[in-house]
Amino acid sequence: HERHSSTRMATAHGGDAPITIIDVVDGVARVGYAVDGASVLESPISRATVVRERGCDGDAADGVVHAVDAHGRVSNVDALEVVLRDALYGALGWAEGFEGYACACERATTTLERREDVTRMMFEEFNVAGLAFVDAAVGALYACGRISGVSVEITENASEVTCALEGAALTQTWRRAPRGGKRMDRALRAAIMAKQGVDVSDDTARAIRLALGKCAESREEYEAFKSDSAACETETFKLPDGGELKLTSELYECGEVLMQDALGADESDAEHDHHGSLPAEICESVQKCPFDVRQLIVDNIVVHGEGSKLPGLEARLLVELQSRMSLVPSMTSIPEYMPASTYAHAPWTGAAIASKVIFSSNQYISKTDYNENGPAFAHSRR
């Protein structure tokens, strides 16, 4: 993907109708206009809360109707409509009758029925002129200028792995481990309490993780730091009450939660099918790819998501994968010319990049297509 000096808003067929990119992850809807060239993320991205809290059985709690389930899949289209209406017509500034075109990021586990429901919502409730879907894993790879590889998305709630080949997600390779930013925060809180006797809040633990969290570059290094904190660099974090915490080996618990099976497990894992370490999940995902393309796939392993910003994480992941597979894995980083925040919403970025080609080459669902064929037509243009 070449860089361009233009920062014009991307439009379908070169017209005046803008292309809006929509992604829902971690209970947050991200919406924004696609922009030509390298400035794709410089347009504002509005974030609207989709899930405020979740009952243990996944049903509404305290009067809250949930739009997505525990896996991040759309489970209530009516609730999603309410959130998107506020974000699109409110924060983004859509005008009735001038909605333009939309491109939605879609997770690998999305069912055919749910895709039809979203298609129906976008045409009948939002009156879009055209709609396209981009697989989230493919979008993340597009953001790095790749079309084949492994998408490793670490969100606040979980880690998801999906392989893609030549611009198409291999849905059978999807894996999910309930380890993300929140699990790291719990491990960090426990380590601080055990070592210093200080009970920090969830919000404070998250702030510490985002500012100072680390990942040891090998298991041996982690064990060495844990047994001898003096070997670690001391970091200082200022608490909300004005006090200070001196932190050393505790910070490395963040990354270790992703790397070791025992450290990432707790009683809630029984609710999930997959709960291995992140390296194990990546290996399982790659094993589900056709044998002759596995090396091509592992040539580009892209780590992204709001929970992925840990110094040392990519290096450690590479070490772990090299010890587990006969292939030669390689990490692919987000290009330096992309905005620094790209790691947090790579699928959104990739969808914005791809949208101009999708709409200019008629690879989308038009209003005519929908009126003549109904929502099932969405399956032919994905």
Side-chain angles (χ1 to χ4, degrees):
H1 302 289
E2 297 182 357
R3 299 188 68 184
H4 303 278
S5 59
S6 170
T7 58
R8 295 175 304 158
M9 193 177 299
T11 57
H13 302 301
D16 296 327
I19 302 170
T20 300
I21 311 301
I22 302 170
D23 188 23
V24 178
V25 61
D26 259 350
V28 172
R30 294 188 178 96
V31 300
Y33 291 124
V35 176
D36 287 346
S39 299
V40 66
L41 274 183
E42 293 176 8
S43 62
I45 301 178
S46 300
R47 295 161 58 90
T49 300
V50 176
V51 177
R52 293 190 290 276
E53 55 184 291
R54 181 178 296 113
C56 61
D57 58 357
D59 294 329
D62 298 331
V64 177
V65 179
H66 307 295
V68 296
D69 64 15
H71 288 182
R73 297 174 295 219
V74 175
S75 59
N76 188 316
V77 176
D78 291 335
L80 181 61
E81 179 194 337
V82 172
V83 173
L84 290 181
R85 186 169 297 279
D86 179 65
L88 296 171
Y89 290 102
L92 200 60
W94 272 17
E96 294 279 355
F98 299 93
E99 289 83 357
Y101 296 78
C103 180
C105 296
E106 187 176 67
R107 264 52 196 177
T109 54
T110 301
T111 64
L112 300 181
E113 178 185 9
R114 194 59 67 215
R115 189 186 309 151
E116 290 183 16
D117 289 340
V118 172
T119 301
R120 184 182 299 108
M121 175 188 70
M122 294 306 297
F123 280 104
E124 297 185 8
E125 304 301 330
F126 291 99
N127 193 37
V128 296
L131 175 66
F133 292 98
V134 172
D135 289 297
V138 173
L141 289 165
Y142 281 168
C144 298
R146 302 292 191 271
I147 58 174
S148 299
V150 184
S151 164
V152 181
E153 183 172 23
I154 305 173
T155 70
E156 290 297 294
N157 292 318
S159 298
E160 293 195 8
V161 180
T162 309
C163 298
L165 178 65
E166 300 296 329
L170 303 178
T171 56
Q172 75 275 14
T173 67
W174 176 82
R175 305 283 294 182
R176 182 182 192 276
R179 304 157 185 249
K182 292 180 180 178
R183 186 65 62 82
M184 297 183 214
D185 297 343
R186 291 204 295 271
L188 183 57
R189 283 189 65 184
I192 294 173
M193 172 59 80
K195 187 172 182 180
Q196 303 195 36
V198 178
D199 186 14
V200 299
S201 67
D202 290 337
D203 288 343
T204 298
R206 182 175 188 274
I208 295 173
R209 188 243 307 171
L210 293 176
L212 302 173
K214 301 177 182 181
C215 182
E217 295 190 4
S218 68
R219 186 167 300 192
E220 291 74 21
E221 183 180 69
Y222 166 74
E223 296 294 347
F225 287 160
K226 191 173 181 180
S227 61
D228 181 12
S229 296
C232 307
E233 181 180 358
T234 300
E235 303 281 2
T236 302
F237 182 84
K238 189 170 184 178
L239 295 168
D241 62 5
E244 290 186 345
L245 270 181
K246 300 292 184 180
L247 302 165
T248 54
S249 60
E250 302 98 323
L251 299 174
Y252 290 92
E253 297 297 332
C254 298
E256 213 61 27
V257 163
L258 302 174
M259 298 299 159
Q260 295 190 33
D261 292 339
L263 290 178
D266 68 18
E267 53 281 356
S268 66
D269 287 347
E271 301 172 9
H272 302 276
D273 294 330
H274 312 303
H275 50 267
S277 67
L278 185 56
E281 297 298 346
I282 294 173
C283 290
E284 288 289 335
S285 179
V286 172
Q287 286 295 317
K288 294 181 180 295
C289 297
F291 180 80
D292 59 339
V293 301
R294 290 177 186 172
Q295 184 58 57
L296 174 65
I297 295 291
V298 300
D299 280 344
N300 299 299
I301 301 174
V302 178
V303 181
H304 59 99
E306 291 196 343
S308 68
K309 205 65 172 176
L310 283 178
L313 175 60
E314 289 193 5
R316 174 64 178 282
L317 196 53
L318 185 59
V319 168
E320 295 288 340
L321 292 174
Q322 287 171 337
S323 69
R324 292 169 181 260
M325 58 174 61
S326 58
L327 302 168
V328 182
S330 178
M331 310 302 293
T332 297
S333 299
I334 293 171
E336 292 182 0
Y337 59 77
M338 298 297 284
S341 60
T342 301
Y343 78 92
H345 34 63
W348 191 100
T349 310
I353 292 171
S355 64
K356 190 174 181 182
V357 174
I358 291 172
F359 285 95
S360 64
S361 58
N362 198 35
Q363 299 177 47
Y364 67 98
I365 311 159
S366 68
K367 188 178 290 289
T368 300
D369 292 330
Y370 180 80
N371 290 338
E372 292 180 353
N373 303 283
F377 191 75
H379 309 315
S380 66
R381 291 297 174 91
R382 180 173 180 271

